[in-house]
Amino acid sequence: MAGKGMGGGGGMGMATKTKSRSKGKNKKGSGGPKQAPFDAAASLLRMESIYDKLCKEAFKQEESESDSFDSITTEYVVTARSLSANAPAGLSDWVPVSQIVLVRPISEDERGSEHAKETIRAAVSELCRESYFAATLSAPIFRRIPANDVEYAAEPLGAFHRYVYDDVIEGKSSTGTSGGKGEEAMGKAEARKVLNLDEGVTDARDIKSAYRKKTFALHPDRFVGVVRTDEEIIQSATDFTNVKIAYEVLSSGVRDTSSSASWYESLGGKQRMEFFGPIELLPISAAKKTLEGTGC
């Protein structure tokens, strides 16, 4: 089984479309049948239904006792933002607007991450009209900008939940790394204590300055020739590691007022490697051809 799906808020899906055949002869001088305007709302409803179907089939496949799979199902969150330099407040950075599900043959997944990106690019391109409509529903402010002034990005649903949803919406820290605390993630409150920062400090320059002071004080080179116990050596190494972890945690989701960097993209720090965007959209016809070639 292969397919693609998409949804606004929930999920949207796409199935193979059947070609319509016009009955009767065209009237002379009509120039052929008139093409009806694209109905994004109706298309979105159809795709939400297909999305649910594809996800249910994938769930059944995972629950089955069979170890033989011929396809892989991946869900993605699609985000959008304005291209305009005079974008309305709130649209200059990424806003989650919809979800896409891709069902690809196993052979396609084995072709590497760059090939996977081209598949995602094609899917987002083909579904850009539905994504824009979904954006106007989830964030009505999108209605103030034309569809051509919107750009898109995507990332796997799991990465979105870990680095965006859990951290920002649920208030859980998911960017910590094992250190002195074993496998437990370091929260932002503890990270500020490690760097001797006051509660509420969010300025990127203050965080970087505190990090540099701490790493200078704890750097192993400063202890060359100093006689220390094994316990002191271990503690020093642990403290140095925790300082680096604290900096990574606090650098996630911090607005850097000294640059035009995306706050949304900063969430998760260096560990968030699957965010893909902005996506250079393909013409819809080219996107369909690409997806057909991958078996989606």
Side-chain angles (χ1 to χ4, degrees):
M1 179 193 70
K4 49 191 178 291
M6 176 183 181
M12 289 188 274
M14 295 189 68
T16 303
K17 298 179 181 177
T18 56
K19 296 181 180 179
S20 60
R21 296 181 180 178
S22 57
K23 296 182 179 180
K25 296 181 180 180
N26 297 330
K27 292 182 179 181
K28 188 175 181 180
S30 65
K34 292 183 179 180
Q35 186 175 1
F38 182 76
D39 190 339
S43 181
L44 180 58
L45 286 175
R46 288 194 301 271
M47 293 178 187
E48 285 180 336
S49 176
I50 297 170
Y51 180 101
D52 290 339
K53 179 181 178 181
L54 292 176
C55 288
K56 288 178 181 177
E57 290 176 352
F59 180 75
K60 289 180 181 179
Q61 186 178 29
E62 290 178 359
E63 291 294 302
S64 69
E65 297 181 356
S66 174
D67 294 328
S68 177
F69 301 113
D70 58 1
S71 64
I72 183 168
T73 302
T74 310
E75 294 178 78
Y76 297 89
V77 170
V78 177
T79 55
R81 70 180 179 186
S82 173
L83 280 165
S84 174
N86 300 316
L91 295 188
S92 60
D93 207 348
W94 300 108
V95 179
V97 295
S98 63
Q99 290 175 213
I100 285 178
V101 59
L102 292 179
V103 183
R104 294 168 290 183
I106 291 291
S107 58
E108 285 296 313
D109 192 62
E110 293 172 348
R111 294 180 64 178
S113 60
E114 290 304 315
H115 180 74
K117 284 183 179 180
E118 284 304 306
T119 304
I120 298 166
R121 178 191 179 197
V124 173
S125 298
E126 183 176 355
L127 297 165
C128 63
R129 294 172 294 183
E130 291 86 352
S131 285
Y132 175 74
F133 183 76
T136 64
L137 296 179
S138 60
I141 194 173
F142 272 104
R143 296 171 186 167
R144 295 171 54 184
I145 57 176
N148 289 340
D149 284 346
V150 177
E151 63 180 352
Y152 301 93
E155 72 179 320
L157 179 62
F160 170 80
H161 273 285
R162 183 179 182 190
Y163 298 119
V164 180
Y165 187 86
D166 287 348
D167 203 6
V168 177
I169 300 176
E170 292 292 330
K172 303 173 184 177
S173 175
S174 57
T175 56
T177 309
S178 62
K181 298 178 64 185
E183 295 300 322
E184 185 180 354
M186 180 184 292
K188 291 193 175 184
E190 182 179 355
R192 291 191 182 93
K193 290 181 181 179
V194 171
L195 296 182
N196 292 335
L197 289 167
D198 294 332
E199 184 178 352
V201 172
T202 58
D203 189 280
R205 289 167 294 186
D206 292 338
I207 295 171
K208 183 175 289 187
S209 176
Y211 167 71
R212 286 175 175 173
K213 289 178 182 179
K214 274 287 189 177
T215 52
F216 178 76
L218 295 170
H219 199 280
D221 289 349
R222 289 179 55 82
F223 299 100
V224 174
V226 177
V227 178
R228 295 184 296 165
T229 64
D230 291 342
E231 290 78 7
E232 288 174 332
I233 293 173
I234 293 173
Q235 186 61 50
S236 178
T238 299
D239 291 343
F240 186 70
T241 299
N242 282 338
V243 166
K244 292 192 290 184
I245 294 172
Y247 180 66
E248 283 294 322
V249 170
L250 292 179
S251 295
S252 168
V254 172
R255 296 183 186 275
D256 187 350
T257 56
S258 64
S259 71
S260 58
S262 165
W263 168 78
Y264 185 90
E265 290 180 48
S266 77
L267 295 168
K270 295 180 181 178
Q271 296 181 67
R272 189 179 176 202
M273 301 175 65
E274 295 179 279
F275 181 85
F276 175 43
I279 294 172
E280 184 178 351
L281 296 180
L282 297 167
I284 292 177
S285 59
K288 290 181 178 179
K289 187 175 181 180
T290 298
L291 290 172
E292 289 172 359
T294 64
C296 288

